[in-house]
Amino acid sequence: MIRGIKGVKDLLPAEALRWRHIEDAARRWAGLYGYQEIRLPIFESTELFARSIGATTDIVEKEMYTFADRDGSSLTLRPEGTAGAVRAYIEHNLAASPLPQKLFYLGPMFRHERPQAGRLRQFHQFGVEFFGVSSAEADVEVMALLWRFFTSLYLPHLTLELNTLGELADRPRYKSILRDFLLTRSARLCGNCLRRIETNPLRVLDCKVPECREASTDAPQIVDYISTPAQEHFASVQRGLAALDIPYQLNPRLVRGLDYYTLTTFEVTSTHLGAQNAVGAGGRYDGLIEVLGGDATPAIGFAVGLERVALLTAETATTAEVPRLYLAAFGPLAMSLGLPLIDELRSAGIPTDMDYRATTLKGHLRQADRLRCRFALILGEDEVGRGTAILRDMQTKEQTDVPLASAIEHVKARFLPIEK
């Protein structure tokens, strides 16, 4: 027997129903905020991710699924969505639109990580990207969308954590100060953090190793080294969140260690997820479009891990199924009429099912119960002879004879009030 690949999960029907509920909520909230869907390629040029994420990051160095195409070019399964969205923004000249570009995406991403709860090698994200607006109000809107999406799903024990990275011009001075501090604690840092001291010291603050976190507890905070405009921007973001009654906590350790990230950075965590507690995260990346060959453009976005959302909704989400109709047609003549009838019912927008293996009324009704159908339309040889069918309420057991010629209209009359 061939089994699935480690770190790649099948979504069976019951779980897929919950995922559809989550994805429908994502699309609904994105639409309410004016975001339009973009569908990005599963794989891109490796250079795109090396330049956008950073050649020295763990993602690029260790986690990407990279392969050579037949022409010798290097391709990579996308490890995240922002780089592809930015590439599309530049390539298709979306900046020419007089409107700010507000995009969202849903789909699989790929990283070769150690599989664990909520972290797989093929995982899925809901992400948004807001291009062209530099004001704090754009930051607040993006975080409000993320928070409303989560709260509409009744996710438990959420915390919105907030920080600022200042402007790009603030970074060199702070990096130098932070590097000097970390060198005094180098004996207590892990191997990755020792390497990061020289390549990207901000990433040390984001390390999850307990010894590293303890060693850097009293590290200098970037908020103390940022410019006055950056301080004003951060204050405006906090006022905006307060005006919308969105609770948040300041977290000076919350960083995005790539050079193009600026100003606001944020993350939503849940205590129900253990060590890997982030459900969604984002930030402002005003430098990325220019890095990838476009004009300097402000931008902010977030990404949500749908596997982690699904873990949190396992006990809280209500995913009521559409009430279904079961067609119980048995006997040669009834079956000959049943096949076109079930097609007409489905074409009329009524979810209808039937087990073609069942040959008796008892067998059909048993299957209708197993499928949890609200109604059954019974059509046997006797009913065909009378030109009628029997509409049975599977909950109350009430049965009504209906003319076969107008059976669909009778079903609609009973079915649609249940849907509402």
Side-chain angles (χ1 to χ4, degrees), residues 202-278:
L202 270 69
R203 292 294 293 164
V204 177
L205 300 179
D206 198 36
C207 183
K208 300 300 188 289
V209 176
E211 291 78 9
C212 295
R213 297 187 71 83
E214 183 179 351
S216 58
T217 297
D218 56 343
Q221 297 183 8
I222 194 171
V223 71
D224 296 327
Y225 298 91
I226 62 176
S227 65
T228 299
Q231 292 174 355
E232 293 173 349
H233 185 98
F234 194 42
S236 295
V237 169
Q238 294 176 70
R239 286 194 297 271
L241 291 173
L244 299 183
D245 291 324
I246 296 177
Y248 66 90
Q249 292 181 3
L250 297 181
N251 179 2
R253 301 184 68 97
L254 182 59
V255 299
R256 293 288 181 267
L258 308 181
D259 287 341
Y260 53 74
Y261 278 108
T262 61
L263 300 172
T264 308
T265 182
F266 57 93
E267 187 172 82
V268 176
T269 61
S270 171
T271 56
H272 279 224
L273 289 174
Q276 298 294 331
N277 62 353

Side-chain angles (χ1 to χ4, degrees), residues 15-16 75 78 211 254:
E15 190 171 5
L75 303 178
R78 62 187 187 193
E211 291 78 9
L254 182 59

Side-chain angles (χ1 to χ4, degrees), residues 131-143:
F131 299 110
V133 178
S134 61
S135 68
E137 287 76 14
D139 303 26
V140 174
E141 176 181 293
V142 167
M143 284 184 278

Side-chain angles (χ1 to χ4, degrees), residues 279-301:
V279 193
R284 180 165 283 281
Y285 51 93
D286 291 349
L288 179 55
I289 294 175
E290 192 171 12
V291 165
L292 293 180
D295 296 330
T297 305
I300 185 170

Side-chain angles (χ1 to χ4, degrees), residues 27-96:
R27 286 192 167 90
R28 182 174 68 254
W29 280 103
L32 288 171
Y33 278 69
Y35 288 75
Q36 296 182 305
E37 185 172 10
I38 184 171
R39 301 199 178 195
L40 301 165
I42 294 292
F43 56 87
E44 301 260 11
S45 167
T46 301
E47 183 185 7
L48 173 66
F49 302 114
R51 290 175 60 186
S52 62
I53 299 172
T56 61
T57 62
D58 287 347
I59 294 174
V60 173
E61 288 185 340
K62 303 176 183 178
E63 299 172 359
M64 294 200 316
Y65 284 95
T66 297
F67 57 97
D69 202 357
R70 292 185 178 184
D71 63 1
S73 59
S74 181
L75 303 178
T76 295
L77 297 179
R78 62 187 187 193
E80 54 93 42
T82 298
V86 170
R87 191 265 310 147
Y89 177 86
I90 298 170
E91 183 175 346
H92 301 287
N93 195 27
L94 298 184

Side-chain angles (χ1 to χ4, degrees), residues 46 54 73-74 80 83 99 121 144 151 155 175 177 197 211 230 252 275 309 317 337 343 352 372 378 382 385 390:
T46 301
S73 59
S74 181
E80 54 93 42
L99 295 173
R121 291 175 177 175
T151 55
L155 301 192
K175 279 187 173 182
I177 292 170
I197 289 177
E211 291 78 9
V309 175
L337 295 177
D343 185 64
T352 309
R372 292 180 294 178
I378 300 170
D382 291 344
I390 298 172

